Amino acid sequence: MKIRTRFAPSPTGFMHVGNLRTALYEYLVAKHEDGTFVLRIEDTDQERYVEGATDVIYDTLRIAGLIHDEGPDIGGDYGPYVQSERLSLYKPYAEELVKKGCAYYCFCTKERLEQLHESGAVGYDRHCRNLSEQEIADNLAKGMPYVIRQKMPVEGESTYNDLVYGDITVPYEDLDDQILLKADGFPTYNFANVIDDHTMGITHVVRGSEYLSSTPKYNALYSDFGWDIPTYIHLPLIMGKTVNEDGTETISKLSKRHGSTGFMDLINEGFLPEAIINYIALLGWAPSDNQEIFTLDELIKAFDIHGISKSPSVFDYDKLEWVNAEHIKRMTAEEFTAHAKPYYDKYNISEDKYILLDEILKPRITRFTQLDEKLGFLGSLADYAIELFEHKKSKSTIETSKAMLEDAIPLLENVDWDRDSITDALKKYAEEHEIKNSVIMWPVRIAAAGVAVTPGGCAEVLILLGREESLRRIRIGLNKLKEL
RNA sequence: GGCCCCAUGGUCAAGCGGUUAAGACGGCGCCCUCUCACGGCGCAAUCAGGGGUUCGAGUCCCCUUGGGGUCACCA
């Protein structure tokens, strides 16, 4: 049988990386076996409706590359794929359960339930579970608002198997009569979820481990209807770590206090979609070998449920940064340039410099947003401190710098303007004067760049600036030194 | 609090009865070097504690401790 998984987010306008990882695993579970990945929108909560929120879901999945085979926007044989459009479907199922004696009408008011909870009760007290036929008929005739509740077994226990966690057993006495159909006629998630998964032919239910203890309720529903229970794959949660004022650390479910947790937030900070996907794939799953950098296609091939771990994992921004850098390093020159182009344009960099920039920039950034800082010296010459010319390790001092710049000017005026020629000329000069290469390289680079740290060395900086601008800056540097 | 789940370095983790307990991030050191990176080499750092089972336990069982989840007319 072909595997069918589903991603069923509710449109909140925000895609948490935890949700995205769930979507990713659902996608991988299906695609590893050449199965079908379905998108279903769970919008049964009318009070939480957010305008444009479904677009965030579509955009995220598209950018992340998790392309669904069926969904609200592309259709499929099991539609509609939006719960609010399936509304008429749920009530008959709920009523069928009532007829079977597996569910019942409940007329308790919200006020009564609130009081119940305030008095310390946990769950529902099953107040309406045994109303007489007559009472029910009367209440219904009076038009009293009602919900439909699931009639759970009261004793014994329920066991099911999860592919990650193994057998899970929960005593029935700990499971209450949950609401299936709300007073507004909408199904609860707990109910819609089961109906939809079954009617959509979902074979593997992949979700966060927070559902582990309520799954027996769903299983009771499946068996009440006489349906097959799907294969369960529960995922460990993604956590965040904060350091408290007293130096201790707190680990809790990843949230905004830990940093950016929304997919789009991460994108805006300069993380690549493929790097985010790569990193979150590794949070809670490990391949059978030691590979760490994956493309989505490689993940599809390598993914194996056996590699999913049971314990929660902490989101590590440092490692995400490293994964991002690795993806950048693996880019072709064309790909790198495409990402860097906006920054190049900002500094009016001509196309003939792209190859050089690819070479010197690629190993020096972990995110493209750092390009501004790396390229900054090209835009204008900073009013740098004269001490920049002093560098112990390079044996460069104010005095040597002055002499070097003086000699460098005529040399650079006549050398062929390419990397090798410039480097050779400077090295030859050093050799002839029996000094270290750095004694001349250092001051020339500093004078040209005006900053201590540059991507690339002396020759690269000169090439990027061009002969004219380079010489202009070196003369400025020389004057600075002479003024002392 | 009841119930469910989890437990290998700071973090992600391999391990599925016999290993010097992998690898990666981060940290530190060295090398390369005209700066910063990249790259190379190396170092420090883990089986929560206690009982069993076994010739042998990080691996199996129990307890303790710790962590997480869940107990809505949210999903």
Side-chain angles (χ1 to χ4, degrees), chain A residues 156-162 165-172 174-175 212-213 216 219:
Chain A
E157 54 185 34
S158 172
T159 298
Y160 69 97
N161 183 266
D162 178 89
Y165 289 89
D167 285 343
I168 306 288
T169 300
V170 180
Y172 275 122
D174 294 316
L175 302 170
L212 227 31
S213 50
N219 289 339

Side-chain angles (χ1 to χ4, degrees), chain A residues 3-291:
Chain A
I3 288 182
R4 288 174 61 83
T5 61
R6 105 269 120 140
F7 179 47
S10 58
T12 59
F14 179 78
M15 183 74 80
H16 188 273
V17 292
N19 284 124
L20 184 63
R21 193 200 53 173
T22 301
L24 172 63
Y25 283 30
E26 281 157 350
Y27 177 82
L28 295 176
V29 166
K31 293 303 165 186
H32 181 71
E33 298 292 333
D34 198 29
T36 305
F37 176 57
V38 179
L39 173 64
R40 179 172 77 224
I41 305 292
E42 309 232 333
D43 60 347
T44 52
D45 186 357
Q46 292 301 84
E47 291 173 17
R48 276 217 238 169
Y49 181 75
V50 178
E51 193 71 35
T54 49
D55 290 333
V56 174
I57 294 170
Y58 293 139
D59 291 346
T60 299
L61 292 180
R62 180 175 43 77
I63 295 170
L66 307 182
I67 308 304
H68 49 284
D69 303 297
E70 297 171 23
D73 50 341
I74 52 177
D77 295 336
Y78 298 81
Y81 293 89
V82 179
Q83 282 187 337
S84 58
E85 291 171 19
R86 300 169 67 81
L87 235 44
S88 56
L89 208 78
Y90 307 110
K91 197 170 179 182
Y93 278 115
E95 286 168 342
E96 180 186 336
L97 251 26
V98 173
K99 282 198 193 79
K100 284 183 170 173
C102 302
Y104 60 93
Y105 292 97
C106 168
F107 300 94
C108 290
T109 60
K110 282 191 182 179
E111 290 68 37
R112 177 172 184 279
L113 296 177
E114 265 172 41
Q115 278 174 14
L116 197 63
H117 289 144
E118 277 166 24
S119 68
V122 174
Y124 178 59
D125 64 355
R126 293 174 169 157
H127 181 259
C128 296
R129 182 163 164 133
N130 295 307
L131 294 180
S132 68
E133 298 265 337
Q134 192 58 51
E135 281 174 292
I136 295 168
D138 287 350
N139 286 343
L140 252 24
K142 276 187 285 186
M144 272 181 75
Y146 67 90
V147 301
I148 292 180
R149 286 186 184 270
Q150 182 179 12
K151 191 181 276 186
M152 290 297 293
V154 290
E155 53 185 35
E157 54 185 34
S158 172
T159 298
Y160 69 97
N161 183 266
D162 178 89
L163 252 33
V164 174
Y165 289 89
D167 285 343
I168 306 288
T169 300
V170 180
Y172 275 122
E173 62 177 335
D174 294 316
L175 302 170
D176 71 343
D177 291 353
Q178 64 176 348
I179 291 174
L180 267 20
L181 206 69
K182 298 187 257 188
D184 62 5
F186 278 58
T188 58
Y189 161 82
N190 297 311
F191 189 54
N193 175 263
V194 168
I195 303 297
D196 291 338
D197 282 345
H198 178 260
T199 57
M200 289 184 175
I202 302 303
T203 60
H204 292 60
V205 169
V206 184
R207 50 156 77 125
S209 65
E210 65 265 32
Y211 292 100
L212 227 31
S213 50
S214 53
T215 295
K217 292 184 190 177
Y218 311 141
N219 289 339
L221 249 20
Y222 280 103
S223 76
D224 287 344
F225 281 117
W227 296 340
D228 286 338
I229 289 171
T231 298
Y232 290 115
I233 299 172
H234 285 94
L235 273 18
L237 264 17
I238 297 181
M239 315 298 286
K241 182 160 80 174
T242 45
V243 178
N244 303 320
E245 285 175 16
D246 61 4
T248 58
E249 292 173 336
T250 301
I251 292 179
S252 56
K253 204 167 162 182
L254 187 67
S255 64
K256 284 179 184 158
R257 59 194 277 244
H258 301 113
S260 295
T261 54
F263 178 74
M264 291 305 179
D265 296 334
L266 258 14
I267 294 292
N268 289 335
E269 284 182 20
F271 291 106
L272 300 162
E274 56 269 36
I276 297 172
I277 288 294
N278 187 160
Y279 176 66
I280 63 178
L282 261 22
L283 267 188
W285 173 79
S288 53
D289 56 13
N290 272 329
Q291 186 175 349

